Amino acid sequence: MMMTYRVTGLDPAPYKPLFGMSDDELAGRGIVRMTVSSPTFPCRVSLTDREIGESVLLLNHVSHDVDNPYRAAHAIFVTEGEEEAAEYIDQIPPVFEKRILSLRAFDDNGMMVDAALAQPGEADGVIRRLFDNKAVDHIDAHNATRGCFSARIERSTAAA
């Protein structure tokens, strides 16, 4: 068996009730509707930077929901109307390609066991190196500049 990895976007189901709400209704929940004004609005469901003019929701997301000091939450973008979570097997999603990433490796108790920065074009190698450590259960990718959660990376295996 050879080690592979799987990068997944967030499940859109929890966000669907928000799609189409008025700005006032969203504001009452601490959410802001924004219009993409530059190619730097990464959707956490599709794992793509969205097109100028599209509507996205800026909201808080708990990315590491554990009962220990590493619990994490931050602002993320979700594209209104996105219906399906992206999935990449042994491939880097488009949102990783141009960004410096903070890759945080956690064990099955949610404790951080390693971490690394990956420059644009380096994510695949750094992910594989982190997964060489058998204690690593999953990796959370964060955009290093703004610190926001980008995607979860899980260990998987495939027949060689």
Side-chain angles (χ1 to χ4, degrees), residues 26-44:
L26 292 171
R29 297 173 183 233
I31 301 168
V32 177
R33 176 178 286 115
M34 299 180 76
T35 300
V36 175
S37 58
S38 67
T40 58
F41 287 65
C43 174
R44 296 335 191 275

Side-chain angles (χ1 to χ4, degrees), residues 18-74:
L18 305 172
F19 301 163
M21 279 189 176
S22 73
D23 289 348
D24 287 340
E25 289 173 309
L26 292 171
R29 297 173 183 233
I31 301 168
V32 177
R33 176 178 286 115
M34 299 180 76
T35 300
V36 175
S37 58
S38 67
T40 58
F41 287 65
C43 174
R44 296 335 191 275
V45 174
S46 68
L47 301 180
T48 60
D49 284 309
R50 303 314 297 192
E51 298 292 324
I52 293 172
E54 282 188 277
S55 178
V56 294
L57 302 178
L58 178 63
L59 53 94
N60 190 269
H61 170 71
V62 177
S63 59
H64 195 63
D65 194 6
V66 293
D67 190 20
N68 70 40
Y70 288 108
R71 180 178 171 84
H74 206 301

